[in-house]
């Protein structure tokens, strides 16, 4: 864990703490306490907070700091990854066919990122699919560029294998569970927990019948929730100390 710990900055710690907090707010005193385990000095933290406000990451108020609207949207995506809301799968697949043409490389890259974020897999260029077990919310600009179809497949397991590398996801998830279990202090667990969130953001959230038997998604979510509860308890202890 030594190399990841070396990259932990005051900004990364503050953002991870607030992205996991509900509400996404903390006082300066709470942030000083929560970041002290990482060897971050108070002056270093205060400089980072000032820069984050200037960059639009945080909003300063009389009683502390909260996430900006842009990062609140990121928090919602993270929350969805940690607690995805599935509906019963009836065997159909949601298929998006890209109908816009002549777009520049930046626009195409942004579209790919958006579809990955919505947990679609790319079957071939311009054709994206996923089981219809999640609610699909398309913005106006995206909806204008795609055709939404409903499909069925005679070999759903084979289609899943064509869209996602599930064995690789399982292997990475199993390593993260080991990292979380073996981490001996808050900084090490923090690094493993942050990596867990990133991994869960790439979870395709498939119906149970399409998952391999050793799928670690539920265990990863529980391990992260346990760590987040520990951070909340530390924050509550700080609030009690401020009140006395």
């Amino acid at each position: 864990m030594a190399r990841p710990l070396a990259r932990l900055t005051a900004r990364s710690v503050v953002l991870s703490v607030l992205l996991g907090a509900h509400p996404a707010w903390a006082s300066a005193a709470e942030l000083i306490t929560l970041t002290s385990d990482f060897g971050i000095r108070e002056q270093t933290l205060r400089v980072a907070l000032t820069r984050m406000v200037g960059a639009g990451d945080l909003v300063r108020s009389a009683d502390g700091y909260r996430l900006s609207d842009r990062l609140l949207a990121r928090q919602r995506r993270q929350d969805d990854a940690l607690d995805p809301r599935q509906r019963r799968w009836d065997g159909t697949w949601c298929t998006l066919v890209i109908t816009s043409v002549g777009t520049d490389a930046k626009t195409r890259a942004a579209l790919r990122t958006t579809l990955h974020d919505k947990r679609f897999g790319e079957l071939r260029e311009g054709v994206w699919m996923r089981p219809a077990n999640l609610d699909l919310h398309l913005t106006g600009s995206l909806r204008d560029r795609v055709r939404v179809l409903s499909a069925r497949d005679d070999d759903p397991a084979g289609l899943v294998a064509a869209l996602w590398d599930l064995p690789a996801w399982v292997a990475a998830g199993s390593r993260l569970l080991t990292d979380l279990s073996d981490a001996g202090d808050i900084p090490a667990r923090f690094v493993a927990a942050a990596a867990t969130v990133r991994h869960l953001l790439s979870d395709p959230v498939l119906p149970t019948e399409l998952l391999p038997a050793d799928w670690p998604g539920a265990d990863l979510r529980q391990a992260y929730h346990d760590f987040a509860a520990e951070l909340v308890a530390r924050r509550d202890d700080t609030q009690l100390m401020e009140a006395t």
Side-chain angles (χ1 to χ4, degrees):
M1 301 297 291
R3 284 183 297 173
L5 283 174
R7 293 196 293 269
L8 279 177
T9 64
R11 179 181 182 275
S12 65
V13 173
V14 168
L15 286 183
S16 292
V17 166
L18 293 181
L19 284 167
H22 296 81
W25 165 91
S27 68
E30 289 171 341
L31 292 173
I32 290 169
T33 299
L34 291 170
T35 56
S36 62
D37 287 323
F38 301 87
I40 297 172
R41 296 180 302 168
E42 179 177 343
Q43 182 59 32
T44 301
L45 174 64
R46 292 190 182 277
V47 170
L49 291 173
T50 299
R51 290 176 176 172
M52 292 169 73
V53 170
D57 295 328
L58 301 179
V59 176
R60 174 73 189 272
S61 61
D63 54 357
Y65 298 85
R66 67 173 177 84
L67 292 179
S68 65
D69 289 343
R70 171 174 57 83
L71 287 176
L72 284 174
R74 176 176 164 184
Q75 185 188 53
R76 287 191 290 271
R77 291 195 300 272
Q78 177 175 303
D79 289 346
D80 286 342
L82 293 169
D83 187 20
R85 294 179 291 276
Q86 298 190 55
R87 62 172 187 254
R88 187 183 65 82
W89 186 50
D90 63 0
T92 62
W93 290 73
C94 182
T95 305
L96 300 184
V97 180
I98 309 301
T99 56
S100 60
V101 295
T103 54
D104 58 83
K106 183 178 179 180
T107 300
R108 292 195 300 272
L111 177 60
R112 292 179 63 85
T113 298
T114 297
L115 294 178
H116 279 301
D117 287 346
K118 291 183 178 297
R119 302 184 178 90
F120 277 82
E122 188 176 24
L123 182 63
R124 49 158 294 176
E125 185 175 0
V127 179
W128 296 74
M129 302 183 71
R130 68 154 295 106
N133 65 322
L134 298 175
D135 291 333
L136 178 62
H137 301 288
L138 299 181
T139 62
S141 59
L142 178 57
R143 179 169 286 279
D144 291 342
R145 300 173 59 194
V146 301
R147 193 77 177 178
V148 183
L149 307 175
S150 180
R152 287 185 176 272
D153 191 90
D154 292 336
D155 180 18
L159 182 53
V160 165
L163 295 170
W164 297 283
D165 188 348
L166 298 191
W169 203 96
V170 169
S174 297
R175 288 193 297 270
L176 285 169
L177 286 172
T178 299
D179 290 344
L180 286 164
S181 176
D182 292 348
D185 55 23
I186 288 290
R189 293 182 65 201
F190 189 95
V191 171
T196 296
V197 171
R198 291 192 296 271
H199 193 54
L200 288 171
L201 285 168
S202 67
D203 183 354
V205 190
L206 300 175
T208 303
E209 51 265 52
L210 295 181
L211 292 175
D214 57 349
W215 189 253
D219 290 338
L220 285 168
R221 290 180 172 88
Q222 185 59 56
Y224 177 83
H225 283 306
D226 290 345
F227 177 69
E230 182 179 343
L231 288 183
V232 169
R234 289 171 59 81
R235 179 180 176 180
D236 291 343
D237 288 343
T238 302
Q239 291 175 340
L240 287 173
M241 287 188 292
E242 288 182 330
T244 56

